[in-house]
Amino acid sequence: MSGRGPDEKLTIKEVLADLKVAPATFYRWRQLGRAPRSIKLPNGDVRIRRSEYERWLSEREDAA
């Protein structure tokens, strides 16, 4: 992923591409509270702060 800063907002599509998981898997993680924290925009789109995504990935690494 290109780095534009920790406050960059990533789309779900960008996160899926980086993780190489199916959308259904990611949305199941969200339902279970296991996905990175996200921001729901007024139009229904979802964004994830890069800093939150990186924090979430680091936690997964420690748990492995």
Side-chain angles (χ1 to χ4, degrees):
M1 297 183 121
S2 65
R4 289 193 310 189
D7 287 334
E8 175 187 7
K9 311 306 185 282
L10 304 171
T11 65
I12 296 292
K13 188 175 181 178
E14 291 171 321
V15 172
L16 292 174
D18 188 57
L19 293 174
K20 296 178 178 66
V21 297
T25 299
F26 185 81
Y27 286 110
R28 186 172 61 245
W29 292 347
R30 285 193 72 205
Q31 286 180 333
L32 296 172
R34 295 184 179 167
R37 290 177 34 195
S38 58
I39 301 164
K40 189 167 188 176
L41 302 176
N43 66 358
D45 287 350
V46 175
R47 297 289 185 273
I48 299 169
R49 282 188 180 91
R50 177 175 293 283
S51 58
E52 169 59 18
Y53 178 61
E54 297 295 335
R55 181 201 62 77
W56 179 82
L57 279 178
S58 292
E59 285 183 2
R60 304 288 76 73
E61 187 175 300
D62 293 342

